[in-house]
Amino acid sequence: MSSVVSDMQGARSAHMKVKRMLPPVVRGLLWALIGFLIVNTLVSEVFDRMPYHPYVTRPSVTLGWVAAVIGWLLGVGAWEGFMKPYFGGTADWVVPNDWRKYFMYSIDHKVIGMQYIFSSLGGFLIAGFAAMLMRLELMKDHMWIFNNPGAYLSTVGIHGTVMMFSVGTVALIGGFGNYIVPLMIGANSTAYPRMSGISQWLVPAGIATVVLSPILGQWTTGWRGYEPLAGQDPAGIVFYYLGVFALTTSSLMVSINLTATILFKRAPGLTWNRIPMYAWGMLTVSLLNLIWLPEIQMTFLMGLLSAIIPLPYFSQLGSPLTYMEMFWLFGHPEVYIIVVPAFALWQELLPVMGQKSLFARQWGIIGLVFVMILSGLVWAHHMFTNMRNSQMLPFSFFTEMISIPTGFSFLVAIGTMWKSNLRLNTPTLFILMSLFNFLIGGVTGVLLADPVVNLQAHDTFFVIAHFHYTIIGGMVFSWFAAFYYWLPKFSGRMYNEFWGKIGAIWVFIGFNGVFFQLFLLGLKGMNRWVPVYPSYLQPMNFEISLFGFLLGLGFVFNFLHIAWMWHKGPVVGNNPWHSKTLEWQTSSPPANTNFDPIPQVIGSFYDYSDSKLAVATPYSDKKS
Amino acid sequence: MGDILAFTISWIVVSVLGEMGVHALFQKGLYYYTATTQAVDGEAAFAFILTILTPVFAFIVVMIIYSMIRFRARDQEIRPSRKQFYNNKAFVSIWITISIVLNLMFFVHPTASAVEQMFNSERARYNSHDLIVNVTARQWQWFFNYPQYNIAQAQDSNGNSILYLPANRTVKFVLRSYDPMHTYDPYIGVVHGFWIPAFGLKQDVIPGETRYLYVHTTKITSFEVNPMVRVQCTEVCGPGHPFMEAPVHIVSSSDFLKFVKQQQQLQAQQS
Ligand code: HEM
Ligand SMILES: [Cu+2]
Ligand SMILES: [Cu+2]
């Protein structure tokens, strides 16, 4: 690997003054536009010409989009950084060592991780803004913000899609995973840095595609793209399929890369039973991705084909339920893709913050692995309203059983806290809040696993509350913990403890204020996907919206605090938490080369019985 | 030892308080308004699960709060905790055993037992006294048809669909999704969800399939009495989805026969 880096560094010095060109992002946009225009024109005007046809047709926009994405990726730097060297050319790609490196193709896992963090943050803010619009609309029982229900439903769809595919599956995996995992396992790069550089740029492309979908027409299916309804939707649904395809492809590439990195690039001495918990989480979640993402991509491809050709796969002539079944076959593992990294974070942070050995580590790992395995067996609990009664029992059974390995994460967390020397700082607070919120998500999950209860609660705001408790409560709160925890790693600076705690308490109050009431609202008869609802539900919705805005502001407050402290926070040492894991055993922020020399691991990272480090440096490369 | 004792006492206290709170909720009615035996059964399952899970919930929450207070670092200096242990076989074994036992129990009761009850309520169809209502879902309207009474489409004087049911009867809903006005278009059917909130259960209506839903009504009530007594579409079915509702009336048998007469007359006038 280091050959690639030196190759690139050599290229930088040799070609520093060679040529001036457009900023890569601008060039990417230009090439995307050119690609789109050429291919779209060819398809709609030449190959598929029909009298009185519009310039943009479903087939032409699909193929034009493919060309645009390829143009975007190449323009942003994949041309010099990937294609040319692939065909034997020199990598004459100048990577400036300042902020500009974040706006171009890169092969440094730290830069890529940062880019992913920003992309998913962008997705979070956009989709969060959509959520605010939805909550604003729901303050009244009739249409008043949107002027038709289709616009509201498109907003719901954009909110859900962007949140799930660009935040839930990306923020802790593509973002923190890419940045932290190589550091954590004592490597200087990931296994496939060039592919990784490309995969990141699919995220903004995917988000933009989904967000721009209303240009082609409203779509009403929500984030699941349910057929056969999608078959009737105007062409906006095409951009839903394409955008999600880009986002899932990105996640797939991240997973291939992280799996290979964790398997093959560990520092000497980092044996299987010493792999850090967060890396374990990334490994299990990557395996989940590798199993299920291709499945959903194939499903979306079929949906796309029935939208552009059209083929009647899922209409009444085909098999309407097949789409739902294929969707949830992926869709349930998806929610575990989102929370498994959060579990891993609990187990990563609590030993550090309590300066106490990780409790029952093997059970924590067993839990992660069994959650991964079982999550493929429970999908039909999303379809109790669609199946024969006799089919319910096995799916109920597995759904209830999955709470056992899930519980192990709690077992490890509380066992570690017990008798520890717990620093009650902002990351700890966020982790404890995540434990609490996810617990509510879990308890209501047991209720929903029961078919009789499910038949009442399904597709109501009870379910909305349940899954936001698991996703925001579990994953987003842990995401914030990760932000605060690793901020000194990224920047060498520390956040402000007082404002950090205010931020944590703020979002905790806002979050519970919104979503706890949603349980009651659902039981009172509020169904999903409705901008217009019976007036008896209005007072409660009004109040929930107020908490919703409070929550939205709380998120923004935390981000502003982090951004501010990133630049202006007090400088701290390399290892402010006194953590034993490897990412803290190098400088903060890390230099271009993470470890020089590569450390040798000689002990457990989670043994805090003394202050001896788990690594012996320097490690001499020649001996091996 | 002192910590374990203090924790256990707090846990028990919180559990008891929690159970009292949950019990107060049951008294108010978890489902807010129930009008069928199915809804009452569902509510009971809900209550049972909550009752059992309250101490479990309390255990974790008290554990979090107890550790937050009792084991917090009291000064700025960072040093290893004085107690270091990697495992506690007894605690882990108890934890795993309890979680397996609890889940197996939930599976037997209420999961399997309640589903069994649903089967049984369906077996009531052999009773042949069921009222059959054909429900047709189209974008974006419900149609109710009573084949036993030759009512093709129950409607009020404005032509809006209405659903009348007798109290204390088993009703068999036959659910189909297609557009009776455009039967020639096979692409027009989408999935809808047939739900009456006060009835405690729902069923998706799938194009190309016929599905059944059985309920046993328990009281005389109506949309005017409680807005939860309404038919509501719960599966997103296009822009008209929020408007896909219809009022429901559950009436005495004699009132039901009046309704039937009136609908038959209306139909005769129209044809
Ligand atoms: C400020 C925080 C948030 C608020 C106020 C909020 C609110 C909402 C609302 C009102 C709905 C529509 C429910 C419906 O009618 O079906 C919704 C749906 C959804 N939300 Fe959120 N949400 C928030 C954050 C998130 C986050 C962080 C995620 C995931 C990472 C997320 C994922 C989803 C998904 C997947 C749906 C389903 C959309 C669909 O049915 O297509 N939300 N949210
Ligand atoms: Cu409908
Ligand atoms: Cu609907």
Side-chain angles (χ1 to χ4, degrees):
Chain A
M1 121 78 233
S2 53
S3 71
V4 179
V5 163
S6 57
D7 182 329
M8 296 289 277
Q9 282 161 347
R12 181 191 308 146
S13 47
H15 295 265
M16 210 50 183
K17 296 184 235 40
V18 226
K19 52 184 167 188
R20 285 177 52 83
M21 59 169 224
L22 284 172
V25 176
V26 177
R27 194 178 63 159
L29 286 174
L30 194 68
W31 289 14
L33 185 68
I34 296 172
F36 177 81
L37 287 177
I38 294 177
V39 173
N40 184 71
T41 311
L42 277 180
V43 174
S44 73
E45 304 301 311
V46 183
F47 301 136
D48 192 26
R49 169 131 189 98
M50 288 182 195
Y52 309 115
H53 228 65
Y55 176 62
V56 172
T57 64
R58 289 183 185 208
S60 78
V61 82
T62 306
L63 295 172
W65 178 87
V66 173
V69 171
I70 293 174
W72 160 252
L73 294 178
L74 292 178
V76 135
W79 172 242
E80 286 87 353
F82 188 86
M83 292 306 278
K84 272 194 176 169
Y86 186 81
F87 289 112
T90 49
D92 56 345
W93 181 233
V94 184
V95 183
N97 210 359
D98 56 18
W99 59 270
R100 279 177 295 174
K101 71 180 171 201
Y102 295 110
F103 292 89
M104 63 206 297
Y105 176 82
S106 169
I107 57 166
D108 180 348
H109 74 93
K110 298 183 289 289
V111 176
I112 297 170
M114 220 22 96
Q115 290 169 335
Y116 262 114
I117 288 175
F118 289 135
S119 305
S120 54
L121 190 61
F124 185 80
L125 294 176
I126 293 171
F129 180 71
M132 296 298 110
L133 289 180
M134 283 144 64
R135 275 318 327 171
L136 198 61
E137 171 60 53
L138 291 175
M139 286 177 99
K140 299 197 178 169
D141 59 358
H142 54 271
M143 311 285 317
W144 69 293
I145 292 297
F146 295 96
N147 50 21
N148 60 65
Y152 174 82
L153 287 174
S154 302
T155 311
V156 174
I158 291 171
H159 166 74
T161 308
V162 173
M163 282 294 190
M164 290 305 254
F165 293 106
S166 85
V167 183
T169 37
V170 173
L172 284 175
I173 307 167
F176 286 87
N178 260 317
Y179 195 108
I180 298 295
V181 164
L183 285 164
M184 222 173 207
I185 60 170
N188 276 335
S189 89
T190 54
Y192 307 115
R194 288 165 192 241
M195 177 183 77
S196 185
I198 292 186
S199 71
Q200 131 64 23
W201 291 101
L202 284 168
V203 176
I207 296 176
T209 309
V210 175
V211 171
L212 293 179
S213 60
I215 289 184
L216 294 186
Q218 295 172 344
W219 46 291
T220 56
T221 58
W223 81 286
R224 308 165 310 169
Y226 260 13
E227 300 273 2
L229 177 63
Q232 297 185 352
D233 270 337
I237 194 76
V238 171
F239 267 5
Y240 161 80
Y241 289 131
L242 292 174
V244 176
F245 194 82
L247 292 170
T248 45
T249 305
S250 172
S251 292
L252 199 54
M253 288 155 102
V254 171
S255 302
I256 293 170
N257 190 22
L258 285 183
T259 309
T261 307
I262 296 168
L263 289 186
F264 301 120
K265 302 216 56 146
R266 278 171 284 148
L270 186 54
T271 54
W272 274 92
N273 48 23
R274 287 178 181 161
I275 293 181
M277 293 313 284
Y278 193 61
W280 263 112
M282 289 297 112
L283 186 62
T284 41
V285 86
S286 296
L287 293 176
L288 263 177
N289 274 334
L290 291 179
I291 297 169
W292 297 111
L293 286 178
E295 191 270 331
I296 193 64
Q297 294 197 315
M298 190 195 66
T299 311
F300 285 150
L301 228 54
M302 288 175 77
L304 184 65
L305 289 180
S306 45
I308 60 177
I309 298 213
L311 290 170
Y313 290 135
F314 306 115
S315 78
Q316 196 175 325
L317 299 175
S319 172
L321 274 188
T322 302
Y323 181 91
M324 296 191 189
E325 281 162 353
M326 299 208 306
F327 182 86
W328 287 116
L329 201 51
F330 150 82
H332 192 83
E334 157 83 1
V335 301
Y336 279 97
I337 291 169
I338 293 174
V339 295
V340 160
F343 294 165
L345 266 177
W346 301 350
Q347 301 169 13
E348 186 66 51
L349 262 61
L350 286 174
V352 179
M353 292 312 181
Q355 293 287 303
K356 178 166 162 286
S357 315
L358 186 64
F359 179 76
R361 170 183 155 93
Q362 71 275 36
W363 288 103
I365 297 169
I366 291 172
L368 295 179
V369 172
F370 270 84
V371 162
M372 175 194 107
I373 295 170
L374 275 176
S375 70
L377 299 176
V378 306
W379 54 277
H381 67 210
H382 295 274
M383 298 184 65
F384 283 143
T385 54
N386 281 319
M387 61 170 69
R388 280 191 290 281
N389 294 354
S390 56
Q391 290 172 309
M392 290 174 177
L393 290 181
F395 289 107
S396 250
F397 179 79
F398 287 121
T399 307
E400 282 163 11
M401 289 306 140
I402 210 169
S403 65
I404 299 171
T406 307
F408 292 170
S409 302
F410 283 94
L411 170 76
V412 173
I414 63 178
T416 306
M417 278 193 294
W418 188 256
K419 302 238 179 209
S420 67
N421 192 22
L422 194 65
R423 274 171 285 171
L424 259 191
N425 49 24
T426 312
T428 314
L429 216 52
F430 269 113
I431 292 288
L432 298 182
M433 289 169 175
S434 173
L435 278 157
F436 174 82
N437 294 334
F438 189 81
L439 184 63
I440 296 184
V443 167
T444 50
V446 176
L447 288 166
L448 285 170
D450 188 78
V452 191
V453 176
N454 183 287
L455 292 183
Q456 172 72 342
H458 184 71
D459 276 346
T460 69
F461 267 56
F462 190 90
V463 170
I464 306 283
H466 158 73
F467 75 72
H468 282 90
Y469 259 99
T470 57
I471 299 178
I472 303 187
M475 180 257 166
V476 173
F477 274 76
S478 294
W479 184 37
F480 277 103
F483 260 118
Y484 282 105
Y485 176 67
W486 277 310
L487 178 69
K489 187 77 239 165
F490 298 153
S491 65
R493 291 166 192 275
M494 190 51 109
Y495 59 86
N496 178 300
E497 201 60 74
F498 175 76
W499 291 114
K501 280 184 186 155
I502 294 280
I505 294 168
W506 184 345
V507 290
F508 185 76
I509 292 173
F511 170 76
N512 281 287
V514 177
F515 292 100
F516 201 82
Q517 297 195 76
L518 287 193
F519 286 122
L520 309 176
L521 197 60
L523 291 173
K524 274 192 174 168
M526 175 97 182
N527 59 324
R528 295 176 69 176
W529 300 294
V530 287
V532 175
Y533 53 86
S535 57
Y536 75 100
L537 299 168
Q538 203 252 338
M540 203 164 185
N541 263 309
F542 187 85
E543 186 194 328
I544 290 172
S545 289
L546 295 184
F547 276 109
F549 304 141
L550 183 74
L551 175 61
L553 282 178
F555 284 141
V556 173
F557 173 81
N558 277 286
F559 287 129
L560 289 180
H561 175 212
I562 293 168
W564 181 256
M565 288 300 156
W566 200 301
H567 298 290
K568 297 276 150 61
V571 175
V572 285
N574 287 339
N575 188 1
W577 308 119
H578 289 220
S579 165
K580 288 197 168 184
T581 40
L582 277 177
E583 82 268 28
W584 297 104
Q585 311 314 327
T586 177
S587 61
S588 299
N592 271 347
T593 308
N594 298 342
F595 297 99
D596 187 20
I598 296 282
Q600 182 169 24
V601 182
I602 53 169
S604 158
F605 297 127
Y606 301 105
D607 177 359
Y608 283 95
S609 52
D610 53 38
S611 48
K612 273 209 287 296
L613 280 182
V615 286
T617 31
Y619 166 71
S620 161
D621 210 1
K622 285 161 202 110
K623 264 185 247 153
S624 64
Chain B
M1 222 43 214
D3 279 319
I4 296 184
L5 197 67
F7 167 77
T8 312
I9 292 171
S10 345
W11 172 42
I12 291 174
V13 171
V14 172
S15 299
V16 170
L17 290 177
E19 292 290 3
M20 281 158 65
V22 168
H23 193 77
L25 265 180
F26 301 160
Q27 297 299 315
K28 277 184 61 187
L30 283 170
Y31 277 14
Y32 290 97
Y33 195 75
T34 50
T36 62
T37 49
Q38 280 72 15
V40 175
D41 290 346
E43 201 175 25
F46 197 117
F48 182 80
I49 296 175
L50 265 195
T51 310
I52 302 290
L53 284 185
T54 299
V56 178
F57 183 78
F59 185 85
I60 309 269
V61 173
V62 174
M63 191 56 116
I64 294 174
I65 294 174
Y66 191 87
S67 307
M68 252 170 93
I69 297 170
R70 184 71 181 76
F71 303 128
R72 74 179 189 284
R74 279 147 225 265
D75 48 35
Q76 289 302 309
E77 201 200 332
I78 301 172
R79 61 183 125 65
S81 162
R82 264 175 291 120
K83 275 273 172 24
Q84 300 283 344
F85 48 89
Y86 299 93
N87 210 335
N88 180 331
K89 282 230 171 69
F91 180 65
V92 173
S93 317
I94 294 174
W95 177 291
I96 294 174
T97 313
I98 289 185
S99 56
I100 292 177
V101 168
L102 268 188
N103 277 293
L104 288 176
M105 183 194 73
F106 279 149
F107 181 66
V108 175
H109 181 79
T111 299
S113 60
V115 172
E116 173 68 19
Q117 208 153 341
M118 277 200 297
F119 278 121
N120 279 337
S121 67
E122 292 200 8
R123 198 165 287 143
R125 66 178 175 271
Y126 300 124
N127 258 333
S128 75
H129 292 305
D130 304 351
L131 170 70
I132 298 177
V133 181
N134 290 328
V135 178
T136 307
R138 72 164 207 144
Q139 282 171 314
W140 291 281
Q141 219 176 350
W142 298 102
F143 292 132
F144 306 106
N145 158 315
Y146 297 74
Q148 292 144 321
Y149 299 98
N150 282 323
I151 302 175
Q153 186 192 333
Q155 49 185 304
D156 65 11
S157 50
N158 296 323
N160 295 326
S161 292
I162 46 172
L163 179 61
Y164 268 74
L165 302 173
N168 297 318
R169 274 284 283 282
T170 300
V171 184
K172 172 187 183 179
F173 292 109
V174 183
L175 308 166
R176 294 191 192 89
S177 166
Y178 68 98
D179 193 334
M181 285 138 190
H182 301 92
T183 41
Y184 47 83
D185 186 351
Y187 287 93
I188 214 158
V190 301
V191 181
H192 300 272
F194 178 75
W195 185 40
I196 300 169
F199 282 17
L201 76 177
K202 65 172 69 70
Q203 175 81 258
D204 279 6
V205 196
I206 319 281
E209 296 190 22
T210 303
R211 286 173 182 256
Y212 307 96
L213 184 74
Y214 293 84
V215 296
H216 190 89
T217 54
T218 51
K219 57 167 92 131
I220 294 180
T221 180
S222 78
F223 182 61
E224 282 79 40
V225 174
N226 189 304
M228 282 176 75
V229 192
R230 69 177 195 277
V231 180
Q232 176 80 60
C233 179
T234 49
E235 188 57 79
V236 63
C237 54
H241 168 65
F243 308 109
M244 206 166 146
E245 356 171 78
V248 179
H249 296 257
I250 307 178
V251 294
S252 65
S253 335
S254 55
D255 282 347
F256 185 70
L257 288 179
K258 254 188 245 158
F259 158 79
V260 168
K261 275 238 178 59
Q262 179 211 343
Q263 288 292 323
Q264 284 166 342
Q265 275 168 6
L266 202 69
Q267 205 164 300
Q269 282 165 15
Q270 281 172 350
S271 58

